[in-house]
Amino acid sequence: MDKVLFGDNQFFAVNHLSDEKSREQAIRFKDDVTIIRILDQARETGINTFMCTTHDRIANICDHIRAHPGEYADFKIYPCMPYAHKYANAVTELGVIGTIKQYVPGNVFSTFTKGGLAYLSKDFIKLMEIFIDAELKMFRGISTPVIFIQNVVVDLILGLKLYEVFKEYDIYIRKKYNAEPGYITMNLPALLDALESVGIFNPIICSSINKIGFRMSGGKDIYEKYLTEKSFRPIAMQVLAAGALRPKEAIEYLSQFPKIEAVLFGASSKAHIQETKELIDKHLN
């Protein structure tokens, strides 16, 4: 796994601290060309992994990558699914069945309508596999060595204690996509315990890890305990705590945990990308 992963929050107006900043980003990145320019600037600094949601506009970025195979020969994408807002908006506009009809491929919809929600309950794992295939279709032909479930789903599964779903996901991603499964969460300790309970060991887990405990459910102390004592492959995100920490201070804090394999961050300028990458390279072995 590359040590530095470039994220996509800034492209789709996600800012955890400022609505005004979100609006500015929405205006700035309204065109795909602008997104591609920033990705290319990240590549120029030596970053070759893009960790992104399955937002509809990412399909356009994938089209661009496929159209320029020479330029992106070493480029990798870590998809994070599902993009929850896409389905939430669809349910509002189309209803549950309408959403399934729109996003589920093939003739499966006819089976749903015959069996209704009872069928969905009976064959949930099959439904999960179908949605995975639908979400990942946009990445065909692109290297996707790690495929993540977004925290909105991971933490729901955690809350419902449906840990066997993690096991089925692990099996399906390895078998169908020859990739490693990854998990994004706002509760790293609880997730690691849950994964180990169903036989998933040394998993890739992406979670908030920062000096002030921002979005670290359970508290910073238990995170630090797990980062020191447990066996897993951590990816640190939200390391700047939505802008509350300066990059140097944030990365220096991470350096005390050698287990951290990668840092995920987003930036809107080449200068900020370069600064953060240099700090990661300097402080994280």
Side-chain angles (χ1 to χ4, degrees):
M1 189 188 307
D2 288 343
K3 190 189 306 180
V4 184
L5 312 177
F6 194 66
D8 71 345
N9 272 358
Q10 68 280 0
F11 297 147
F12 304 122
V14 178
N15 187 287
H16 299 291
L17 202 63
S18 168
D19 289 339
E20 182 179 351
K21 183 70 172 177
S22 291
R23 286 190 292 271
E24 291 174 0
Q25 290 172 336
I27 294 169
R28 180 178 177 188
F29 293 108
K30 64 180 180 179
D31 298 318
D32 296 334
V33 171
T34 312
I35 294 176
I36 292 167
R37 184 182 303 120
I38 294 295
L39 282 179
D40 287 343
Q41 289 175 352
R43 288 195 304 117
E44 288 167 7
T45 70
I47 299 173
N48 284 303
T49 302
F50 180 39
M51 187 164 163
C52 62
T53 63
T54 53
H55 190 288
D56 287 339
R57 288 181 62 195
I58 291 295
N60 302 333
I61 308 305
C62 291
D63 288 342
H64 175 81
I65 292 170
R66 279 188 292 268
H68 301 83
E71 292 180 36
Y72 296 91
D74 299 323
F75 197 68
K76 298 177 290 294
I77 292 182
Y78 290 176
C80 307
M81 59 182 179
Y83 185 66
H85 296 295
K86 172 171 64 179
Y87 294 107
N89 292 341
V91 168
T92 300
E93 295 176 13
L94 307 171
V96 174
I97 298 299
T99 299
I100 293 173
K101 186 174 181 179
Q102 175 164 320
Y103 286 104
V104 173
N107 297 319
V108 180
F109 178 69
S110 62
T111 309
F112 291 154
T113 54
K114 289 177 184 176
L117 293 178
Y119 177 85
L120 301 188
S121 245
K122 178 182 176 183
D123 206 356
F124 175 80
I125 300 303
K126 184 61 180 176
L127 179 63
M128 177 192 73
E129 293 173 357
I130 290 167
F131 270 108
I132 288 171
D133 292 344
E135 288 277 283
L136 295 181
K137 192 174 181 181
M138 69 175 72
F139 302 103
R140 66 190 180 282
I142 296 172
S143 177
T144 55
V146 186
I147 299 171
F148 287 86
I149 314 181
Q150 285 275 32
N151 60 283
V152 66
V153 174
V154 169
D155 293 342
L156 176 62
I157 293 170
L158 268 180
L160 296 174
K161 301 186 185 306
L162 298 174
Y163 305 153
E164 285 298 326
V165 174
F166 293 136
K167 184 66 174 178
E168 295 296 333
Y169 175 77
D170 181 281
I171 292 169
Y172 191 68
I173 292 299
R174 293 181 188 277
K175 182 178 178 181
K176 176 72 181 282
Y177 293 96
N178 193 30
E180 292 191 84
Y183 308 86
I184 304 173
T185 183
M186 294 299 148
N187 195 331
L188 184 158
L191 176 62
L192 182 56
D193 290 347
L195 294 175
E196 290 182 348
S197 76
V198 291
I200 299 174
F201 299 104
N202 201 33
I204 298 172
I205 299 179
C206 180
S207 184
S208 301
I209 302 174
N210 54 74
K211 188 176 181 179
I212 63 173
F214 176 72
R215 302 190 84 180
M216 296 167 67
S217 182
K220 186 162 69 87
D221 289 346
I222 191 170
Y223 272 63
E224 292 179 348
K225 178 179 174 66
Y226 272 56
L227 286 165
T228 302
E229 300 176 2
K230 299 286 187 174
S231 295
F232 67 110
R233 301 176 62 190
I235 297 174
M237 69 175 183
Q238 296 179 339
V239 299
L240 301 182
L245 297 170
R246 301 302 303 162
K248 185 175 185 294
E249 178 184 16
I251 303 303
E252 284 179 346
Y253 168 75
L254 299 182
S255 68
Q256 65 185 294
F257 306 109
K259 281 194 176 75
I260 293 176
E261 290 198 13
V263 177
L264 170 67
F265 77 98
S268 301
S269 72
K270 187 173 181 179
H272 288 153
I273 295 170
Q274 184 75 52
E275 176 191 15
T276 304
K277 184 180 186 300
E278 288 176 355
L279 284 168
I280 295 169
D281 289 340
K282 178 181 178 180
H283 293 286
L284 298 182
N285 298 322

